[in-house]
């Protein structure tokens, strides 16, 4: 694909993670399976600790909310191998978490517990955040040209910082000027990008958003933000209309800022 020039007035780049800086397979094949495989042991080990108690409390509040909204929940079956109240409680939490993950839920309660589990995995070296090879050299070049670089992901800010803080290339957190997650709003809503613009302190047309998801690109455009769609292996296929409408890149190296060296 050809080089894509950023508008001359660009002062900030806003980057998605999954499918943009990081392969989709990292989340699907490494992060999520880690939770499924280690959840029960993690809960058993940390059950009496305050942080784990808070995580479980949030999950129970989520279950209560789901029941009030008549949302389906996992059906608890009698397990003859469970002998104590603690084992029973842990098994119920495990069932709920696995059910939420299977349903692709984005609840704060689920994300908080996952984030704490991933933190332990990153810190122990069991997991390292994957980045496409073109990502850090390009960001360093952009920073050298005076651009600011921010992250906007549906993953929590804590999870974002873990990925970049314990990446395959070491701690690269100093490359970023800030992080945003869905506490500022959903990525498919224009208002979210308006809030980010206000938080950064610039005009919408000074920001270019890089994402692989066209619904997010559309929302950013509605807010007046410039958009470049990133095409990576395994990302969702684009329609002919989408290919015609958006500037496309397959590597960050194709992005050039006009008027700066």
């Amino acid at each position: 694909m050809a080089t894509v020039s950023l508008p001359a007035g660009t002062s900030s780049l806003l980057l998605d993670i999954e499918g943009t800086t990081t392969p989709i397979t990292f989340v699907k094949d490494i992060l999520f399976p880690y939770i499924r495989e280690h959840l029960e042991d993690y809960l058993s080990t940390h059950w009496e600790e305050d942080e784990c108690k808070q995580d479980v409390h949030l999950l129970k509040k989520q279950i209560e909310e789901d029941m009030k909204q008549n949302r389906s929940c996992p059906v608890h079956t009698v397990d003859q191998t469970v002998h104590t109240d603690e084992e029973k409680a842990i098994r119920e939490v495990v069932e709920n978490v696995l059910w939420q993950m299977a349903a692709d839920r984005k609840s704060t309660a689920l994300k908080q517990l996952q984030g704490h589990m991933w933190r332990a995995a990153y810190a122990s070296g069991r997991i390292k955040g994957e980045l496409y090879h073109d990502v850090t050299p390009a960001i360093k070049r952009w920073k050298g040209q005076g651009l600011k670089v921010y992250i906007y992901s549906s993953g929590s800010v804590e999870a974002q910082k873990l990925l970049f803080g314990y990446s395959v290339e070491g701690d690269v957190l100093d490359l970023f000027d800030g992080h945003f997650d869905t506490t500022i709003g959903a990525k498919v809503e224009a208002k979210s990008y308006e809030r980010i613009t206000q938080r950064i302190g610039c005009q919408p047309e000074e920001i270019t958003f890089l994402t692989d998801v066209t619904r997010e690109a559309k929302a950013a455009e509605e807010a007046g933000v410039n958009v470049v769609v990133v095409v990576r292996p395994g990302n969702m296929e684009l329609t002919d209309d989408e290919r015609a409408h958006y500037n496309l890149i397959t590597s960050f190296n194709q992005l050039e800022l006009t008027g700066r060296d």
Side-chain angles (χ1 to χ4, degrees), residues 17-19 21-39 42 97-98 101 104 106 110-111 113-131 153-168:
I17 292 180
E18 191 179 343
T21 67
T22 298
I24 285 177
T25 50
F26 175 66
V27 176
K28 184 166 64 82
D29 297 342
I30 295 176
L31 288 186
F32 287 164
Y34 180 86
I35 299 292
R36 287 191 286 266
E37 290 164 20
H38 296 89
L39 179 58
Y42 177 87
V97 168
L98 295 180
M101 289 179 67
D104 198 26
K106 308 285 187 187
L110 175 64
K111 285 186 177 183
L113 174 61
Q114 287 175 329
H116 291 153
M117 287 187 65
W118 288 327
R119 182 181 64 200
Y122 279 114
S124 68
R126 287 185 180 185
I127 292 176
K128 288 187 184 295
E130 290 185 17
L131 303 173
S153 172
S154 57
S156 68
V157 167
E158 181 179 15
Q160 296 172 28
K161 289 183 175 180
L162 288 169
L163 192 156
F164 293 110
Y166 294 93
S167 84
V168 289

Side-chain angles (χ1 to χ4, degrees), residues 79-96:
D79 188 339
Q80 300 299 332
T81 65
V82 175
H83 301 292
T84 68
D85 287 344
E86 181 177 303
E87 287 175 333
K88 181 173 179 288
I90 288 173
R91 191 61 58 85
E92 287 181 356
V93 171
V94 168
E95 284 179 10
N96 182 265

Side-chain angles (χ1 to χ4, degrees), residues 179-200:
H179 297 258
F180 301 98
D181 59 20
T182 51
T183 57
I184 205 158
K187 294 178 75 182
V188 294
E189 294 176 1
K191 283 282 185 190
S192 306
Y193 299 89
E194 292 171 10
R195 293 186 194 106
I196 288 173
T197 298
Q198 291 165 3
R199 192 76 64 86
I200 291 174

Side-chain angles (χ1 to χ4, degrees), residues 49-59 112 116:
E49 297 172 14
D50 286 344
E51 184 176 81
C52 188
K53 286 179 179 178
Q54 289 168 4
D55 292 344
V56 171
H57 175 68
L58 262 187
L59 284 163
Q112 181 168 305
H116 291 153

